[in-house]
Amino acid sequence: MNTWTGNLQQGRRDRFDTGALISAPHNTNNRVFVIEQGRARVCLVGGAKEQTLRYLKVGSLFVTHTPTWIEAVEPSTILSWPMSELRDLIIRQPDMAIVALREIGGIVSTCLEVIEDLAFRSVESRLARYLLTKHRESGAVPFTLCDSTERLATLLGTSRQTLSTIINRMERENLIQRTGRRSYQVLDSETLTLTTDDLSAG
Amino acid sequence: MNTWTGNLQQGRRDRFDTGALISAPHNTNNRVFVIEQGRARVCLVGGAKEQTLRYLKVGSLFVTHTPTWIEAVEPSTILSWPMSELRDLIIRQPDMAIVALREIGGIVSTCLEVIEDLAFRSVESRLARYLLTKHRESGAVPFTLCDSTERLATLLGTSRQTLSTIINRMERENLIQRTGRRSYQVLDSETLTLTTDDLSAG
């Protein structure tokens, strides 16, 4: 038990078995809670499949009314208070605010990584399709990638910097080879096809 | 000026012109700041292109050490303190914590929407490509979508629920038509091709 939680006024204590749902998205019973015992997982379910945003451990503080699922990953005891008492709780125990800010800051960081990753993979997939089309059209010989990196980046809906990062990585992985200033050749069309995320109809 | 900021101990005051950068990702000079005058925008730049996560207005509170860009959208005055003073600031003015939690909570919500949207569009694009392949293979007549929705969902890397939502929307938009229990026909291959996000090599 963290020291800062010792000073808190009495809240409601609930027990959750492993796998039990502590909170579902857009819970209307707004409460702030702290993990007294056990461990929980904050996650997204839906289009993004199951994505863990953060693990809450003893002393972690969170709120129930977020668009996330919170699930006990081991038998857990949760101490909670109505959100309306948050201001009083912070006056009594300012560390509570510091812990809450750190916790939610960690979730923002994970979210931003997931966004970058999703956006990056989408650009990578589009570039792979673009390269394969050029490869087929050129009859498998080196081709001019584009008139300007700027233009290609715009076409792929990304920045020049991200585009360069992806092109460099593809070169390092021997998927493509640079043959001139703006000229490239596809070396491994099979792996590039996998990168496009295209599905064989099966 | 919000009333809660009146009580704050003196911080550093900086002025920013429209378009000036208040903070860049992973700033190492960790400060907590409040918008005294003007308006700023918290955004992502990179693979995700330019995505506004939140607007900060007079009385909004934020920190500089996040993986985001913070830009003044009108001439702004910022009052800031080193992060090490945050606990003292909260003791003196507990509302500061409430405002900070609300601000960062709003950013989490926006992030989750962006993630859902990116993940959803990616599944939609893959389904469109799958449908077009089936359409070509069947010679433009109705075809069996798959043996089970479960299997197709797995193939597309999504949940059955998300897959059904997308199929229903495509039907409503007259892109595809259901012709039997598992049988579908493509009605508008042109719009479906746009949905695949495929690029003409140009």
Side-chain angles (χ1 to χ4, degrees), chain B residues 4 7 44 85 91 96 100 105-106 129 140 175:
Chain B
W4 74 268
N7 255 347
L44 276 177
E85 288 178 23
I91 290 172
M96 189 160 184
R129 281 203 293 280
L175 305 183

Side-chain angles (χ1 to χ4, degrees), chain A residues 49 87 95 129 157 197-198, chain B residues 49 87 95 129 157 198:
Chain A
K49 290 191 289 177
R87 195 172 181 279
D95 286 328
R129 281 203 294 279
D197 212 7
D198 267 325
Chain B
K49 289 190 291 178
R87 195 172 180 280
D95 286 327
R129 281 203 293 280
D198 269 325

Side-chain angles (χ1 to χ4, degrees), chain B residues 128-201:
Chain B
R129 281 203 293 280
Y130 180 87
L131 288 167
L132 288 167
T133 307
K134 284 285 203 180
H135 179 61
R136 271 192 304 269
E137 285 180 357
S138 71
V141 300
F143 52 84
T144 304
L145 186 59
C146 56
D147 302 335
S148 85
T149 320
E150 194 74 49
R151 242 192 92 221
L152 183 59
T154 306
L155 184 69
L156 297 169
T158 188
S159 65
R160 264 183 61 178
Q161 203 192 332
T162 302
L163 179 59
S164 296
T165 304
I166 297 176
I167 289 178
N168 290 338
R169 202 171 67 179
M170 284 182 173
E171 276 190 76
R172 260 198 326 277
E173 292 174 352
N174 293 317
L175 305 183
I176 58 174
Q177 183 181 28
R178 193 171 185 167
T179 52
R181 203 166 107 67
R182 289 216 176 79
S183 166
Y184 285 85
Q185 177 158 30
V186 168
L187 299 181
D188 183 351
S189 60
E190 203 170 323
T191 305
L192 269 187
T193 305
L194 290 175
T195 309
T196 63
D197 214 7
D198 269 325
L199 299 159
S200 59

Side-chain angles (χ1 to χ4, degrees), chain B residues 48-63:
Chain B
K49 289 190 291 178
E50 214 167 285
Q51 169 80 46
T52 299
L53 294 176
R54 194 168 182 82
Y55 281 96
L56 303 174
K57 49 191 198 308
V58 172
S60 287
L61 189 142
F62 208 59
V63 293

Side-chain angles (χ1 to χ4, degrees), chain B residues 63-109:
Chain B
V63 293
T64 55
H65 50 299
T66 68
T68 59
W69 300 80
I70 304 168
E71 176 194 74
V73 292
E74 50 187 76
S76 303
T77 312
I78 308 293
L79 209 56
S80 73
W81 304 264
M83 268 305 277
S84 54
E85 288 178 23
L86 182 61
R87 195 172 180 280
D88 285 345
L89 287 163
I90 289 174
I91 290 172
R92 203 176 283 240
Q93 188 47 281
D95 286 327
M96 189 160 184
I98 308 282
V99 171
L101 285 169
R102 192 189 310 139
E103 218 60 74
I104 199 164
I107 288 186
V108 170
S109 295

